[in-house]
Protein backbone atom coordinates (compact mmCIF):
# COMPACT_ATOMS: atom_id res chain seq x y z
CA UNK A 1 0.00 0.00 0.00
CA UNK A 2 2.79 2.43 0.91
CA UNK A 3 4.57 1.64 -2.37
CA UNK A 4 1.43 2.47 -4.38
CA UNK A 5 0.99 5.71 -2.44
CA UNK A 6 4.64 6.63 -3.09
CA UNK A 7 4.20 5.92 -6.83
CA UNK A 8 1.05 8.04 -6.90
CA UNK A 9 2.78 10.91 -5.11
CA UNK A 10 5.79 10.65 -7.47
CA UNK A 11 3.44 10.72 -10.45
CA UNK A 12 1.65 13.78 -9.12
CA UNK A 13 4.95 15.55 -8.47
CA UNK A 14 6.21 14.85 -12.00
CA UNK A 15 2.88 15.95 -13.45
CA UNK A 16 3.14 19.22 -11.53
CA UNK A 17 6.67 19.79 -12.83
CA UNK A 18 5.64 19.00 -16.39
CA UNK A 19 2.53 21.15 -16.28
CA UNK A 20 4.42 24.04 -14.71
CA UNK A 21 6.87 23.91 -17.60
CA UNK A 22 3.90 24.02 -20.00
CA UNK A 23 3.11 27.46 -18.61
CA UNK A 24 6.62 28.70 -19.39
CA UNK A 25 6.98 31.32 -22.07
CA UNK A 26 7.20 29.96 -25.62
CA UNK A 27 10.37 31.99 -26.06
CA UNK A 28 11.95 30.21 -23.10
CA UNK A 29 13.71 27.27 -24.77
CA UNK A 30 15.82 26.31 -21.78
CA UNK A 31 14.48 25.55 -18.31
CA UNK A 32 17.62 25.00 -16.27
CA UNK A 33 15.93 23.34 -13.31
CA UNK A 34 14.41 20.48 -15.33
CA UNK A 35 16.11 17.40 -16.77
CA UNK A 36 16.21 17.39 -20.57
CA UNK A 37 13.33 14.95 -21.06
CA UNK A 38 11.03 16.83 -18.66
CA UNK A 39 11.99 20.11 -20.32
CA UNK A 40 11.39 18.69 -23.79
CA UNK A 41 8.09 17.13 -22.76
CA UNK A 42 6.96 20.40 -21.21
CA UNK A 43 7.81 22.31 -24.37
CA UNK A 44 6.04 19.71 -26.50
CA UNK A 45 2.93 19.87 -24.30
CA UNK A 46 3.07 23.65 -24.60
CA UNK A 47 3.01 23.33 -28.40
CA UNK A 48 -0.04 21.07 -28.22
CA UNK A 49 -1.73 23.61 -25.93
CA UNK A 50 -1.05 26.33 -28.51
CA UNK A 51 -2.93 24.12 -30.98
CA UNK A 52 -5.98 24.11 -28.70
CA UNK A 53 -5.33 21.01 -26.60
CA UNK A 54 -5.35 20.58 -22.84
CA UNK A 55 -5.64 20.03 -20.01
CA UNK A 56 -3.84 16.73 -20.54
CA UNK A 57 -4.80 13.46 -18.90
CA UNK A 58 -2.41 10.58 -18.26
CA UNK A 59 -5.43 8.25 -17.90
CA UNK A 60 -6.67 9.28 -21.36
CA UNK A 61 -3.16 8.72 -22.73
CA UNK A 62 -3.05 5.21 -21.34
CA UNK A 63 -6.54 4.49 -22.71
CA UNK A 64 -5.47 5.61 -26.19
CA UNK A 65 -2.30 3.50 -25.90
CA UNK A 66 -4.44 0.41 -25.29
CA UNK A 67 -7.26 1.32 -27.72
CA UNK A 68 -7.74 -1.28 -30.47
CA UNK A 69 -8.11 -0.13 -34.06
CA UNK A 70 -8.85 -3.14 -36.23
CA UNK A 71 -6.12 -5.56 -35.15
CA UNK A 72 -3.73 -2.95 -33.74
CA UNK A 73 -3.01 -0.75 -30.78
CA UNK A 74 0.12 1.05 -29.60
CA UNK A 75 0.58 -1.89 -27.24
CA UNK A 76 0.67 -4.31 -30.19
CA UNK A 77 4.29 -3.33 -30.84
CA UNK A 78 5.32 -1.40 -27.72
CA UNK A 79 3.53 -3.66 -25.17
CA UNK A 80 0.92 -2.61 -22.62
CA UNK A 81 3.63 -2.46 -19.96
CA UNK A 82 5.90 0.23 -21.44
CA UNK A 83 8.76 -0.77 -19.16
CA UNK A 84 9.09 -3.93 -21.28
CA UNK A 85 10.77 -3.99 -24.70
CA UNK A 86 8.50 -4.41 -27.68
CA UNK A 87 8.66 -5.77 -31.21
CA UNK A 88 7.22 -4.37 -34.43
CA UNK A 89 4.21 -6.43 -35.47
CA UNK A 90 5.24 -6.76 -39.14
CA UNK A 91 9.03 -6.41 -39.28
CA UNK A 92 9.71 -8.19 -35.96
CA UNK A 93 12.32 -5.50 -35.26
CA UNK A 94 12.98 -5.11 -31.51
CA UNK A 95 11.85 -1.83 -29.89
CA UNK A 96 13.43 -0.53 -26.71
CA UNK A 97 11.13 0.06 -23.73
CA UNK A 98 9.07 3.23 -24.19
CA UNK A 99 9.39 4.25 -20.55
CA UNK A 100 11.81 7.18 -20.28
CA UNK A 101 12.74 5.90 -16.83
CA UNK A 102 14.44 2.94 -18.55
CA UNK A 103 15.40 4.29 -21.98
CA UNK A 104 17.29 7.51 -21.34
CA UNK A 105 16.99 8.96 -24.85
CA UNK A 106 13.22 8.48 -24.92
CA UNK A 107 11.14 11.68 -25.27
CA UNK A 108 14.17 13.98 -25.50
CA UNK A 109 13.91 15.16 -29.12
CA UNK A 110 10.86 17.14 -30.30
CA UNK A 111 11.39 16.24 -33.96
CA UNK A 112 11.53 12.53 -33.13
CA UNK A 113 8.44 12.78 -30.93
CA UNK A 114 6.49 14.30 -33.82
CA UNK A 115 7.96 11.91 -36.40
CA UNK A 116 6.92 8.86 -34.41
CA UNK A 117 3.48 10.23 -33.51
CA UNK A 118 2.85 10.87 -37.22
CA UNK A 119 4.10 7.48 -38.33
CA UNK A 120 2.55 5.42 -35.54
CA UNK A 121 -0.84 7.16 -35.41
CA UNK A 122 -1.24 6.68 -39.15
CA UNK A 123 -0.17 3.04 -38.94
CA UNK A 124 -2.23 2.21 -35.86
CA UNK A 125 -5.35 4.36 -36.20
CA UNK A 126 -5.22 5.12 -39.96
CA UNK A 127 -5.28 8.85 -39.14
CA UNK A 128 -3.26 11.63 -37.55
CA UNK A 129 -3.54 11.87 -33.79
CA UNK A 130 -4.94 15.13 -32.47
CA UNK A 131 -2.83 17.50 -30.36
CA UNK A 132 -4.99 16.44 -27.38
CA UNK A 133 -4.27 12.75 -27.97
CA UNK A 134 -0.56 13.40 -28.43
CA UNK A 135 -0.42 15.44 -25.22
CA UNK A 136 -2.32 12.80 -23.26
CA UNK A 137 -0.04 9.98 -24.45
CA UNK A 138 3.09 12.06 -23.95
CA UNK A 139 2.08 12.93 -20.40
CA UNK A 140 1.27 9.28 -19.62
CA UNK A 141 4.54 8.01 -21.12
CA UNK A 142 6.54 10.62 -19.21
CA UNK A 143 5.25 9.20 -15.94
CA UNK A 144 6.42 5.66 -16.73
Amino acid sequence: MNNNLNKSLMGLALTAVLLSSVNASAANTKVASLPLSAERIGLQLQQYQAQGAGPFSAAAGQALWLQQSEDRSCASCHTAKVTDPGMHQNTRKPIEAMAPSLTSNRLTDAAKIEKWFTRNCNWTFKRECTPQEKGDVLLWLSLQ
Side-chain angles (χ1 to χ4, degrees):
M1 181 79 168
N2 254 350
N3 196 18
N4 286 340
L5 180 60
N6 287 341
K7 283 183 182 180
S8 294
L9 291 175
M10 274 289 257
L12 288 172
L14 181 55
T15 300
V17 167
L18 291 173
L19 292 178
S20 69
S21 68
V22 168
N23 292 326
S25 165
N28 182 6
T29 59
K30 183 106 174 146
V31 180
S33 63
L34 297 175
L36 180 59
S37 61
E39 174 187 344
R40 184 60 62 208
I41 292 162
L43 293 172
Q44 199 70 22
L45 291 175
Q46 184 178 8
Q47 287 183 1
Y48 298 144
Q49 266 191 330
Q51 297 170 21
F56 300 107
S57 163
Q62 182 180 26
L64 183 66
W65 187 267
L66 299 172
Q67 180 181 316
Q68 287 289 319
S69 176
E70 296 178 17
D71 63 337
R72 302 177 180 163
S73 71
C74 301
S76 298
C77 295
H78 296 286
T79 76
K81 186 177 177 188
V82 296
T83 54
D84 291 342
M87 182 177 294
H88 192 277
Q89 221 176 10
N90 288 341
T91 66
R92 311 310 291 164
K93 180 181 174 184
I95 301 170
E96 288 183 276
M98 285 299 297
S101 61
L102 294 177
T103 307
S104 62
N105 64 345
R106 210 43 106 198
L107 309 178
T108 59
D109 183 298
K112 284 183 181 180
I113 291 170
E114 277 306 302
K115 169 189 169 183
W116 288 108
F117 267 133
T118 299
R119 186 176 291 179
N120 290 336
C121 289
N122 283 320
W123 191 81
T124 304
F125 302 116
K126 311 273 190 287
R127 64 174 176 80
E128 293 279 331
C129 284
T130 67
Q132 183 69 49
E133 290 170 327
K134 291 176 188 180
D136 291 341
V137 169
L138 188 58
L139 178 62
W140 175 68
L141 283 173
S142 72
L143 299 173
Q144 304 307 304

